[in-house]
Amino acid sequence: AVEATGKAKALFKLIKKLSYKLADEMDVAITKDEKKLIKNSDKVSMDVLLIYSQGLEKLDTGDKPGALALFKKALKKDKSFARAQYQIQKIEESE
């Protein structure tokens, strides 16, 4: 077992730390691209991720307009949040 401890507000930093520990424990080599993804994983705020996840829930229930509004709200809070941009583009292309 591996663990990473710290404060809840540093959740993404803990996840990053745990990712490296797990890879090391399992003797898995992490590629340069994977390291970049892990490094950037703590740059998205919890607020933005919460809004994004609410958008995904709306999308799952078929509420595309509601999902679109939430993805746009997430993107407005974090203009570099590519996952929200991707979902917006996907919805707009399907209409």
Side-chain angles (χ1 to χ4, degrees):
V2 296
E3 66 179 56
T5 58
K7 296 183 180 189
K9 69 179 184 177
L11 176 65
F12 297 109
K13 289 182 182 183
L14 293 172
I15 291 170
K16 179 170 56 172
K17 192 177 192 181
L18 191 57
S19 298
Y20 285 117
K21 284 184 174 185
L22 281 170
D24 187 50
E25 183 72 23
M26 295 172 25
D27 203 24
V28 173
I30 300 175
T31 67
K32 190 176 187 177
D33 287 339
E34 290 168 334
K35 285 181 184 179
K36 185 177 179 182
L37 288 171
I38 292 169
K39 180 180 178 188
N40 291 331
S41 68
D42 64 350
K43 294 187 178 177
V44 179
S45 77
M46 279 295 272
D47 290 342
V48 171
L49 284 176
L50 180 60
I51 294 165
Y52 177 76
S53 68
Q54 291 169 342
L56 291 176
E57 287 178 19
K58 293 274 187 193
L59 200 55
D60 285 345
T61 63
D63 182 2
K64 285 185 180 181
L68 186 61
L70 287 164
F71 295 141
K72 286 182 177 182
K73 183 177 178 181
L75 192 61
K76 185 177 179 181
K77 287 184 167 278
D78 182 348
K79 298 194 185 332
S80 67
F81 191 44
R83 286 179 269 178
Q85 181 61 49
Y86 170 78
Q87 292 296 341
I88 293 167
Q89 183 179 356
K90 195 168 148 183
I91 291 170
E92 289 176 343
E93 287 175 355
S94 72
E95 293 179 342

